[in-house]
């Protein structure tokens, strides 16, 4: 422990975990506190211990007993051969990274940039609290996929509501890490844009890039990677690689080796290729081969001298191959990811056995890298060699045929991934980069349009399954562009719109359905066009919060009019129009001024019921689910909580057996949220927790924990599941801050629920933190009269401040029906009735009678009212009887509080039960 410094016990815990190189998020999860609180403690420790940075702070941490120093693991590829020399370069590049946040190691292909970067990164692991990460950009051919590649290396998925760059930036916002971006040259523009966003937003991140050319960005610092030193490093590399293939070179031959290395300009790749030929050619043979001008000096007018030397080495190595092996090297250059002998045989159009032998020979010549694993042997061409092979394909006129066979191989692999099995993710990862590369080539070939469509559609489906939903939408739009039938175009655009819904991109949904309607018109499908136009109107009503540009009422009305005119007597189109009309009517009712529901609500229910009936007749469960959603909203607005909950459950049942298509997934996520809310409104806490847990665990929401877990936090808080709230609140807060702290009204109840739990625990630090978060949501009517009143009253009653609780809930339910209907009505009425009893209000009996009528059928609210009446009658036996009702309803907090309210010997048992939940003592009656 640090001596002579006043450090609190919590600060000591944080210091120990900083010393273990845990990130702020990991420390927060370990200690059940928020990331912001960890940051506060770290800042305090830096000040108290008078150290400049986190690294120095870690050195002041006590070392765990029996453990050596801990360092973050480097996420770097393991080199298959030793790194030779470059002592000065490593030191220079290391110092440059310390001084500048973005450094680019520049040099020609084959000079050794990647190996140098890996060596420097491996030595720098201890400098970065959150580790070192390596991203290979070789497979990336689309500048827009840079962030996807980085996310893959970091193990991230896309967050709905933002693109992949935003997801990566959010994940690294508070990290101290080194990111190594390798082989940037083919996507320089995309890398430059990505880095500008990353470095501005993530102050603790540094980037080491390798490229054949500068990235040409203002914040870049360039380190020129020179050829190996001819006096030492180059010779050492040759001798080590020759020894590795079983032919050590005698030291007296160093001068001859130095001469060879000099003629190869000290290029690491060229030297390794030459050393690989030593067993068969000897030094004399290598020297003779190097003297052949056609083998060594064919660099092309665009290449500088160094590049020419690498090309020369490849020309020479290629010329020494047998013709069949040369052809095979050319053919396999179309693969951007590691491939098997079987895959190579399909692309080469040859027998697998013959191809396997050829691949082995190419590997022996260091032209292919071999990886052996339990899943099989895979081969990979280094990028310089792969590009060389591709150029040779073009020169021999074989490029189109080879690329076409590669596209067909990719299509077969994509088709094989249609069925998701246990190893699906690994199988997709093994071919994903090839699928993208094949599509990128086919997209530019008019004669490949049909295959480009098939590949884009398959890749759209596969990336959706992989939860890369931003790419999935992009691929569906590509498929729509390649389709040669407007009806197919419309179908692809509708799929893209569904994915946009999963991403919470309402404006994209509007754009894509509009385009689908136009395509349907071109196909002569007026009914389909009607459905698309009606869907736009329905989407604007159901998902208005997902739109940046809200659709004006007149625009929605115009869409419905157009859809009605096109629908004719087509049942599906008529159902879509009826649904749009019901949605618009509901939105009008919801937007009405505060007051009692008027005749428009029964009319809205009738419209929604008609939409449900029509969509059911179509046999389309997704359309029926949408109609049930509108009906649920109408029923809840009418105050019929139980009917609304039953409709929400009916919707879940309807969707349970649907395949995981984009549209079905979008509906299911929305339905799970609605079912959770409906269960809370009727006091079905086990049901609310069940649906809320399914929502929290949905893989599509993995990157938006604040959205995924929000309603589960509310259910757990009302149940009294304190530990679950504490754990879940860390996920919520970290994800919410990474998302830019959006003040969306739907998140308010979760924040208020967590604040209530911390208040019941009397954790004042956490109270202040979560209170500040809740204040960012403003004082909306929902907070003032709805969830805020319920949580505030619960806390006030816990502390025996019944009069204040009654004042907090002063409005009659009928006066604020708009804000308490749906979830909060029964809770509001029950707690208000209890407050009247405990505050000694003269009208308590009348309040109880009214409350009993409203909450009838709600197990929790009903038990609160029953307990309040027993308290009014001073009937201890009836008071205690409600504990069974609370326990059966899963409401552990109210069960424990009942014992306290019963008084006498039971009060101590109640306080013990509250303490067991992790809560502070309550106040007696």
């Amino acid at each position: 422990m640090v001596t002579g410094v006043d450090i609190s016990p919590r600060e000591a815990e944080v210091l120990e975990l900083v010393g273990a190189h845990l990130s702020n998020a990991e420390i927060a999860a370990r200690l059940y506190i928020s990331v912001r609180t960890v940051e506060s403690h770290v800042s305090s420790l830096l000040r108290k211990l008078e150290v400049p940075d986190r690294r120095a702070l870690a050195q002041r941490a006590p070392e765990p007993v029996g453990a050596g120093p801990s360092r973050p693991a480097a996420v770097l590829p393991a080199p298959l051969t030793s790194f030779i020399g470059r002592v000065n370069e490593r030191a220079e590049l290391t110092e440059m990274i310390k001084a500048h946040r973005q450094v680019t190691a520049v040099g020609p292909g084959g000079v050794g940039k990647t190996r140098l970067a890996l060596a420097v990164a491996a030595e720098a692991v201890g400098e970065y609290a959150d580790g070192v990460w390596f991203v290979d950009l070789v497979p990336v051919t689309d500048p827009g996929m840079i962030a996807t590649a980085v996310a893959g290396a970091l193990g991230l998925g896309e967050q709905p509501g933002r693109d992949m760059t935003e997801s990566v930036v959010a994940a690294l916002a508070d990290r101290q890490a080194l990111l190594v971006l390798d082989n940037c040259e083919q996507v320089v523009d995309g890398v430059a844009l990505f880095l500008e966003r990353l470095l501005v937003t993530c102050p603790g991140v540094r980037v080491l890039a390798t490229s054949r050319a500068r990235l040409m960005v203002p914040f870049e610092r360039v380190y020129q990677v020179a050829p190996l030193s001819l006096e030492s490093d180059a010779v050492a590399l040759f001798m080590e690689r020759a020894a590795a293939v079983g032919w050590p070179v005698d030291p007296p031959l160093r001068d001859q080796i130095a001469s060879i290395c000099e003629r190869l300009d000290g290029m690491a790749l060229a030297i390794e290729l030459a050393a690989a030929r030593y067993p068969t050619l000897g030094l004399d043979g290598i020297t003779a081969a190097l003297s052949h001008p056609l083998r060594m000096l064919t660099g092309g007018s665009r290449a500088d001298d160094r590049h020419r030397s690498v090309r020369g080495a490849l020309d020479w190595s290629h010329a020494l191959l047998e013709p069949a092996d040369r052809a095979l090297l050319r053919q396999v250059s179309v693969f951007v990811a590691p491939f098997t002998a079987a895959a190579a045989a399909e692309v080469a159009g040859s027998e697998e056995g013959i191809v396997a032998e050829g691949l082995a020979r190419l590997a022996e010549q260091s032209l292919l890298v071999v990886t052996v694993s339990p899943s099989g042997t895979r081969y990979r061409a280094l990028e310089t060699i792969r590009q060389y092979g591709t150029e040779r394909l073009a020169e021999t006129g074989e490029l189109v045929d080879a690329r076409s066979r590669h596209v067909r191989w990719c299509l077969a692999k994509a088709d094989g991934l249609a069925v998701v099995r246990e190893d699906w993710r690994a199988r997709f990862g093994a071919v994903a980069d090839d699928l993208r590369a094949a599509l990128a080539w086919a997209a530019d070939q008019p004669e490949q349009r049909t295959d480009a469509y098939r590949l884009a559609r398959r890749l759209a489906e596969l990336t959706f399954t992989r939860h890369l939903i931003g790419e999935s939408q992009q691929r569906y739009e590509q498929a729509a562009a390649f389709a040669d039938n407007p009806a197919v175009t419309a179908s692809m655009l509708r799929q893209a719109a569904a994915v946009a819904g999963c991403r919470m991109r309402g404006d994209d949904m509007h754009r894509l359905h509009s385009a689908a309607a136009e395509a349907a018109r071109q196909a002569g499908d007026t009914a389909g066009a009607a459905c698309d136009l009606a869907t736009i109107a329905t989407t604007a009503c159901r998902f208005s919060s997902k739109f940046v540009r809200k659709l004006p009422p007149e625009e929605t009305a115009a869409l419905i009019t157009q859809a009605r005119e096109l629908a004719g007597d087509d049942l599906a189109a008529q159902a879509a129009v009826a649904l749009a009309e019901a949605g618009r009517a509901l939105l009008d009712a919801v937007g009405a001024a505060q007051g009692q529901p008027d005749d428009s609500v029964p009319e809205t229910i009738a419209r929604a019921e008609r939409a449900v009936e029509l969509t059911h007749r179509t046999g389309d469960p997704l359309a029926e689910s949408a109609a049930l959603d509108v009906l649920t909203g109408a029923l809840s607005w009418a105050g019929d909580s139980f009917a609304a909950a039953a409709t929400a459950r009916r919707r879940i049942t309807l969707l349970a057996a649907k395949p995981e298509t984009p549209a079905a997934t979008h509906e299911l996520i929305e339905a799970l949220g609605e079912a959770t809310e409906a269960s809370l409104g009727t006091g079905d806490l086990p049901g609310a927790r069940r649906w809320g847990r399914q929502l929290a665990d949905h893989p599509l929401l993995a990157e938006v924990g604040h959205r995924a877990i929000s309603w589960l936090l509310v259910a757990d808080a009302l149940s009294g599941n304190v530990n679950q709230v504490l754990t879940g609140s860390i996920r919520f807060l970290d994800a919410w801050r990474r998302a830019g702290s959006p003040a969306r009204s739907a998140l308010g109840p979760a924040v208020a629920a967590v604040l209530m739990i911390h208040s019941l625990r009397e954790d004042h630090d956490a109270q202040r933190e979560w209170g500040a978060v809740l204040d960012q949501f403003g004082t909306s009517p929902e907070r003032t009269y709805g969830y805020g009143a319920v949580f505030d009253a619960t806390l006030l009653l816990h502390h025996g401040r019944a009069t204040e609780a009654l004042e907090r809930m002063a409005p009659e339910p009928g006066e604020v029906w708009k804000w308490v209907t749906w979830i909060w009505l029964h809770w509001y009425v029950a707690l208000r009735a209890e407050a009247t009893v405990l505050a000694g209000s003269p009208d308590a009996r009348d309040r109880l009678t009214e409350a009993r009528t409203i909450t009838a059928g709600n197990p929790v609210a009903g038990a609160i009212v029953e307990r309040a009446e027993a308290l009014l009658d001073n009937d201890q036996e009836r008071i205690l009887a409600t504990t069974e009702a609370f326990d059966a309803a899963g409401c552990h907090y109210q069960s424990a509080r009942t014992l306290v309210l019963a008084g006498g010997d039971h009060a101590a048992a109640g306080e013990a039960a509250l303490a067991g939940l992790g809560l502070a003592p309550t106040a007696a009656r």
Side-chain angles (χ1 to χ4, degrees), residues 439-518:
L439 176 57
W441 176 79
D444 292 331
Q445 310 299 315
E447 67 278 7
Q448 294 287 332
R449 187 180 183 89
T450 299
D451 283 344
Y453 160 74
R454 292 178 57 202
L455 199 50
R457 178 174 181 171
R458 275 298 188 202
L459 196 50
E461 295 165 350
L462 296 173
T463 50
F464 185 83
T465 301
R466 180 61 181 79
H467 305 127
L468 300 172
I469 54 178
E471 182 178 357
S472 178
Q473 180 182 331
Q474 174 194 352
R475 302 306 180 189
Y476 272 122
E477 292 192 49
Q478 275 188 299
F482 295 139
D484 55 9
N485 183 327
V488 176
T489 297
S491 175
M492 293 297 97
L493 289 169
R494 290 167 190 144
Q495 293 279 41
V499 180
C502 295
R503 301 178 68 206
M504 301 191 296
R505 302 292 181 97
D507 299 83
D508 276 0
M509 296 174 74
H510 183 182
R511 171 179 62 83
L512 292 165
H513 275 299
S514 296
E518 181 58 33

Side-chain angles (χ1 to χ4, degrees), residues 393-715:
L393 273 177
E395 291 172 5
T396 58
E398 302 170 314
L399 182 61
V400 172
D401 287 343
R403 288 286 195 191
S404 298
R405 288 193 295 269
H406 182 241
V407 167
R408 290 195 292 273
W409 176 82
C410 287
L411 282 169
K413 287 296 178 182
D415 289 342
L417 287 166
V419 177
V420 178
R421 302 200 306 260
E422 184 177 352
D423 62 343
W424 185 92
R425 185 164 179 167
R427 290 190 299 123
F428 171 75
V431 300
D433 288 327
D434 273 301
L435 299 182
R436 292 169 179 138
L439 176 57
W441 176 79
D444 292 331
Q445 310 299 315
E447 67 278 7
Q448 294 287 332
R449 187 180 183 89
T450 299
D451 283 344
Y453 160 74
R454 292 178 57 202
L455 199 50
R457 178 174 181 171
R458 275 298 188 202
L459 196 50
E461 295 165 350
L462 296 173
T463 50
F464 185 83
T465 301
R466 180 61 181 79
H467 305 127
L468 300 172
I469 54 178
E471 182 178 357
S472 178
Q473 180 182 331
Q474 174 194 352
R475 302 306 180 189
Y476 272 122
E477 292 192 49
Q478 275 188 299
F482 295 139
D484 55 9
N485 183 327
V488 176
T489 297
S491 175
M492 293 297 97
L493 289 169
R494 290 167 190 144
Q495 293 279 41
V499 180
C502 295
R503 301 178 68 206
M504 301 191 296
R505 302 292 181 97
D507 299 83
D508 276 0
M509 296 174 74
H510 183 182
R511 171 179 62 83
L512 292 165
H513 275 299
S514 296
E518 181 58 33
R521 282 195 184 101
Q522 293 176 12
D525 181 11
T526 55
C531 289
D532 287 310
L533 295 173
T535 299
I536 297 172
T538 301
T539 299
C541 300
R542 293 179 64 204
F543 310 121
S544 59
S545 63
K546 296 181 180 180
F547 282 76
V548 175
R549 185 187 78 86
K550 307 293 185 183
L551 263 67
E554 59 272 15
E555 186 174 337
T556 303
L559 287 167
I560 295 174
T561 299
Q562 292 179 55
R564 189 184 302 111
E565 292 171 351
L566 293 171
D569 57 1
D570 183 88
L571 177 59
Q574 290 177 349
V577 171
L579 176 55
E581 292 173 337
R584 183 188 174 198
L586 177 61
L587 193 62
D588 289 343
V590 170
Q594 176 64 35
Q596 287 291 347
D598 56 24
D599 292 340
S600 66
V601 175
E603 179 184 344
T604 301
I605 292 176
R607 286 181 177 273
E609 287 175 338
R610 179 172 180 271
V612 170
E613 189 270 331
L614 286 174
T615 53
H616 178 73
R617 283 169 52 193
T618 68
D620 182 355
L622 300 185
E624 187 176 354
S625 170
L628 289 171
D629 180 26
V630 174
L631 177 58
T632 301
L635 291 169
S636 69
W637 219 241
D640 194 344
S641 301
F642 294 103
T647 306
R649 290 193 298 271
R650 178 179 164 191
R651 189 178 171 203
I652 293 284
T653 302
L654 184 68
L655 296 169
K658 285 293 296 177
E660 294 184 7
T661 64
T665 300
H666 185 210
E667 278 294 321
L668 180 60
I669 288 174
E670 297 294 333
L672 287 171
E674 187 174 73
T676 306
E677 297 174 48
S679 296
L680 287 170
T682 57
D684 179 12
L685 294 180
R689 295 195 70 252
R690 181 170 65 255
W691 304 129
R693 172 52 60 191
Q694 287 188 36
L695 191 64
D697 291 342
H698 198 287
L700 201 65
L701 302 180
E703 301 298 324
V704 281
H706 56 298
R707 178 187 171 200
I709 205 170
S710 59
W711 285 114
L712 183 58
L713 285 173
V714 175

Side-chain angles (χ1 to χ4, degrees), residues 371-378:
T371 303
V372 180
S373 69
S375 62
T377 302
R378 290 184 176 272

Side-chain angles (χ1 to χ4, degrees), residues 258-295:
S259 177
I260 291 172
C261 293
E262 182 177 6
R263 297 186 64 180
L264 293 173
D265 287 344
M267 299 297 289
L269 175 59
I271 291 169
E272 294 196 351
L273 289 171
R277 300 298 296 175
Y278 177 66
T280 56
L281 292 179
L283 297 182
D284 291 340
I286 292 174
T287 302
L290 288 173
S291 65
H292 197 296
L294 294 178
R295 294 176 178 172

Side-chain angles (χ1 to χ4, degrees), residues 791-825:
F791 290 129
D792 288 348
T794 299
L795 181 63
L796 290 168
L797 290 170
H798 180 89
H799 290 302
R801 296 154 63 183
T803 301
E804 293 177 59
L806 190 57
E807 291 173 355
R808 180 67 180 86
M809 309 181 83
E812 295 286 345
E815 296 174 358
V816 292
W817 69 271
K818 184 172 181 178
W819 315 118
V820 299
T821 302
W822 190 221
I823 300 174
W824 307 111
L825 175 62

